[in-house]
Amino acid sequence: MAVAVRGTRGGSSFRSFFSFRIFISAMFFLLFVATLSVLFTTNPSTTPDESTLPTTGNAYVHRTFLALKSDPLRTRVDLIHQQARDHITLVNAYAAYARKLKLDISRQLKMFDELAQNFSDISLRPTYRASLFDTDGPIDEDVLRQFEKEVKDRVKIARMMIVEAKENYDNQLKIQKLKDTIFAVHESLNKAKKNGALASLISARSVPKSLHCLAMRLMGEQISNPEKYRDEGPKPEFEDPSLYHYAIFSDNVIAVSVVVRSVVKNAAEPWKHVFHVVSNRMNVAAMKVWFKMRPVEGGAYLEVKAVEEFTFLNSSYVPVLKQRDLANMQKSNQAENTTNDMKTSNKYLSMLDYLRFYLPEMYPKLHKILLLDDDVVVQKDLTGLWKIDLDGKVNGAVEICFGSFHRFSHYLNFSHPSIKDNFNPKACAWSYGVNIFNLDAWRREKCTDNYHYWQSMNEDQTLWKSGTLAPGLITFYSTTKSLDKSWHVLGLGYNPSISMDEINNAAVIHYNGNMKPWLDIALNQYKNLWTKYVDNDMEFVQMCNFGL
């Protein structure tokens, strides 16, 4: 009895589940039949402009099913037609932008307008309207192929034109192209500047053929006539403080002769002027022969010495020589191929620039001395410089600052605490070239000791990089008196824009810069101011083609 009851309950559950599945299946079948009926029996009304129906979203799906029902080629017609309309829109957009940029007369604008019209003409052509767009019957496949070919040909032309014109109308592309051009030009300019600066530096540092020729001729003259060029003893005028003394440190024979001749020719009393010329061992003999052959005019006095004659200038006393010797020891591997003579010559060649810090020791009996660079030309009598009251200052020089240019901050490293704590970054810089020094005040202020202190501090070149102007600014800080600018006009070795009025009114003109007047790269508008003091009557000058 119990078994019969369990069997009955199980059969009832199974039949209920099976009936539910049949019901669900029937519902899905009816839903599917209804969907097919809607899709295949609906006959939407058509309009004469059915070819322009939307082709996106639900409308596109709707039209696709209609095309499948009527003709399989109609979808292809719609796609080709839509592609043509898309390119008409794109071409018209570029044409509109061309008009906005006022390019109405441009070739591109005319071609854009013609191409857009050609796209429109294809759709309106009677053959295509009748066979592809205004018919409910089957589409002629040959006509469709011809329509597709013409559309694709015009699409290809449109794309080529757009690619060609995109550079003119795409702002971002134009901006990027302009940036690239500016960057390339900037890089080329920097490269040209560096190459030009390097070439100019090489020209300035090299010895011109004419100058080398002159030195060799003078040395040959001394070798041929040694008795004629024996050294004379020192003259008392060399230490007479009542005379006007000049210091010129150079290895350039022709440059020194121009400085001396220009001073003497413009001096009211040339017999009161004494010139102290110091050169290196390689050129001192040529310098002595020159002034033996061409004595100074007007009764002026001149002595020529070599750096070696000032025995106190050694590495134990001069910091720059000590630093150079240490650097040479550290670079001994690089120095192996250099002869001892060349080392000595290079050392003293550089030392010529630093002699200006040792004037009181070099000329202990003098009270004042005028330091002249070898690239200056004197145009007026300079005796007035000795009469200027320096107000107890050591150095009289022309200041070169204007605005924010040529201030102490331009030459010294003010991020270093030693510089920052002791100097004013806005202090005005002055220039070497024409400097009147009060040697008594120099000794009193112990300027040489001050220079040694700062030069030793700058062993690693963290206070200033190189050269003699920066240590000069430090050494004579607060002990320099500014001179009137008419005493010293600078820039003739690099600035082509100096007015001739300023040059003519100057007592001294200075060819500072790389374009020295004895070089081929000299500025032509200033060169004659130097060449007129060249001693062209000297036979060796004629042989070596100076001034030509």
Side-chain angles (χ1 to χ4, degrees):
M1 184 67 180
V3 173
V5 173
R6 285 194 299 269
T8 302
R9 290 178 180 175
S12 177
S13 299
F14 178 76
R15 285 192 298 274
S16 297
F17 176 74
F18 183 75
S19 299
F20 178 75
R21 289 188 62 183
I22 293 175
F23 174 76
I24 294 300
S25 300
M27 291 298 295
F28 274 109
F29 177 76
L30 291 175
L31 182 61
F32 177 73
V33 171
T35 302
L36 293 179
S37 176
V38 170
L39 294 176
F40 292 102
T41 61
T42 303
N43 186 22
S45 60
T46 59
T47 62
D49 192 27
E50 187 180 56
S51 61
T52 61
L53 286 173
T55 58
T56 59
N58 294 331
Y60 177 76
V61 174
H62 182 62
R63 184 163 179 79
T64 301
F65 275 107
L66 290 177
L68 288 173
K69 178 183 176 183
S70 58
D71 193 333
L73 297 177
R74 190 163 297 280
T75 301
R76 188 173 166 188
V77 172
D78 289 340
L79 293 174
I80 297 172
H81 193 206
Q82 181 62 33
Q83 187 179 27
R85 284 184 297 176
D86 289 344
H87 281 79
I88 290 174
T89 303
L90 188 60
V91 168
N92 285 334
Y94 274 94
Y97 194 69
R99 291 188 187 92
K100 184 178 179 181
L101 295 178
K102 298 181 180 180
L103 299 176
D104 302 85
I105 60 173
S106 68
R107 179 178 61 87
Q108 288 92 345
L109 177 58
K110 183 178 180 181
M111 293 178 65
F112 281 138
D113 287 338
E114 291 178 354
L115 189 58
Q117 186 62 41
N118 289 341
F119 273 119
S120 300
D121 291 345
I122 294 176
S123 301
L124 297 176
R125 193 174 298 173
T127 303
Y128 294 144
R129 296 296 303 178
S131 302
L132 303 178
F133 304 116
D134 297 339
T135 179
D136 294 332
I139 293 176
D140 188 337
E141 190 169 358
D142 293 334
V143 176
L144 175 59
R145 287 197 190 98
Q146 182 62 30
F147 175 70
E148 182 178 20
K149 181 179 181 304
E150 291 195 33
V151 170
K152 287 186 176 181
D153 289 343
R154 284 161 176 75
V155 166
K156 183 178 179 181
I157 295 173
R159 289 177 179 175
M160 292 174 61
M161 286 181 58
I162 290 170
V163 169
E164 179 182 353
K166 192 171 184 180
E167 291 186 8
N168 298 324
Y169 305 131
D170 190 329
N171 280 339
Q172 292 300 323
L173 189 61
K174 288 168 66 178
I175 292 171
Q176 186 59 46
K177 186 175 181 180
L178 183 60
K179 287 181 178 179
D180 293 342
T181 302
I182 293 173
F183 178 78
V185 171
H186 184 69
E187 288 294 306
S188 298
L189 179 61
N190 285 339
K191 186 177 180 180
K193 284 182 177 179
K194 290 179 180 178
N195 292 339
L198 179 60
S200 179
L201 182 61
I202 292 172
S203 298
R205 295 291 178 87
S206 61
V207 179
K209 182 179 179 181
S210 55
L211 187 59
H212 178 74
C213 167
L214 181 61
M216 293 299 101
R217 294 278 184 179
L218 292 169
M219 289 297 296
E221 174 67 16
Q222 186 201 38
I223 294 171
S224 301
N225 304 285
E227 297 295 330
K228 187 177 178 180
Y229 300 103
R230 289 186 182 275
D231 290 338
E232 297 179 357
K235 297 179 180 180
E237 289 80 6
F238 294 163
E239 297 180 342
D240 186 353
S242 65
L243 301 179
Y244 304 118
H245 293 264
Y246 299 84
I248 307 172
F249 307 138
S250 174
D251 63 332
N252 189 327
V253 177
I254 196 72
V256 172
S257 71
V258 167
V259 175
V260 173
R261 279 171 61 87
S262 65
V263 172
V264 171
K265 283 184 176 293
N266 292 284
E269 300 174 313
W271 58 88
K272 292 185 178 181
H273 296 261
V274 181
F275 299 92
H276 303 272
V277 178
V278 180
S279 188
N280 55 35
R281 183 167 58 185
M282 184 181 295
N283 293 280
V284 68
M287 201 81 70
K288 290 180 178 181
V289 172
W290 172 279
F291 287 107
K292 279 279 189 177
M293 295 180 67
R294 311 297 293 178
V296 182
E297 300 172 354
Y301 302 93
L302 184 142
E303 70 165 348
V304 179
K305 285 189 174 183
V307 176
E308 293 87 347
E309 296 182 49
F310 299 96
T311 56
F312 68 91
L313 296 175
N314 52 63
S315 58
S316 63
Y317 179 66
V318 180
V320 71
L321 292 181
K322 181 179 180 180
Q323 293 167 7
R324 195 151 300 166
D325 289 346
L326 290 175
N328 288 337
M329 290 177 62
Q330 294 173 358
K331 298 178 180 179
S332 58
N333 293 334
Q334 298 179 5
E336 288 179 357
N337 296 327
T338 307
T339 65
N340 292 331
D341 290 341
M342 290 181 65
K343 290 180 186 177
T344 303
S345 174
N346 288 335
K347 178 180 72 171
Y348 289 115
L349 177 64
S350 300
M351 191 59 205
L352 287 174
D353 294 330
Y354 291 91
L355 291 179
R356 63 194 64 195
F357 295 106
Y358 301 96
L359 290 172
E361 291 121 313
M362 295 172 68
Y363 309 105
K365 295 185 178 181
L366 301 182
H367 304 306
K368 282 188 176 181
I369 194 167
L370 180 61
L371 176 67
L372 295 177
D373 282 355
D374 65 355
D375 55 352
V376 303
V377 171
V378 177
Q379 302 185 126
K380 295 181 180 180
D381 185 15
L382 297 183
T383 55
L385 285 171
W386 277 267
K387 299 176 183 179
I388 293 176
D389 185 3
L390 295 180
D391 300 324
K393 304 286 188 179
V394 176
N395 175 29
V398 172
E399 293 182 338
I400 57 175
C401 63
F402 56 95
S404 60
F405 297 96
H406 298 295
R407 302 284 176 175
F408 269 47
S409 58
H410 181 73
Y411 302 96
L412 302 175
N413 178 20
F414 276 86
S415 63
H416 196 287
S418 296
I419 297 295
K420 183 179 180 181
D421 295 341
N422 290 280
F423 304 98
N424 180 5
K426 295 182 180 180
C428 189
W430 45 267
S431 176
Y432 279 119
V434 180
N435 301 85
I436 183 70
F437 287 105
N438 185 337
L439 300 183
D440 293 333
W442 185 319
R443 298 180 185 102
R444 183 183 67 248
E445 297 292 337
K446 298 182 179 180
C447 292
T448 302
D449 293 339
N450 187 35
Y451 161 69
H452 283 175
Y453 170 78
W454 288 106
Q455 186 66 55
S456 299
M457 288 266 298
N458 193 47
E459 183 175 359
D460 54 358
Q461 294 191 347
T462 57
L463 305 185
W464 67 85
K465 290 300 180 184
S466 61
T468 58
L469 180 55
L473 296 176
I474 289 179
T475 301
F476 304 110
Y477 182 66
S478 75
T479 62
T480 297
K481 179 180 177 63
S482 177
L483 301 180
D484 187 272
K485 294 184 182 296
S486 62
W487 283 110
H488 184 193
V489 170
L490 300 98
L492 279 72
Y494 68 88
N495 184 4
S497 303
I498 305 174
S499 70
M500 290 308 299
D501 289 339
E502 187 177 4
I503 292 174
N504 293 331
N505 292 329
V508 180
I509 55 175
H510 192 175
Y511 291 83
N512 59 311
N514 289 334
M515 300 179 184
K516 302 300 183 186
W518 54 84
L519 299 176
D520 292 337
I521 60 173
L523 295 171
N524 290 328
Q525 64 265 43
Y526 308 138
K527 193 167 184 178
N528 68 302
L529 300 173
W530 182 84
T531 55
K532 70 180 181 180
Y533 290 105
V534 175
D535 189 353
N536 291 303
D537 294 332
M538 205 275 191
E539 56 180 311
F540 294 155
V541 170
Q542 297 175 2
M543 292 179 181
C544 296
N545 298 322
F546 266 104
L548 298 181

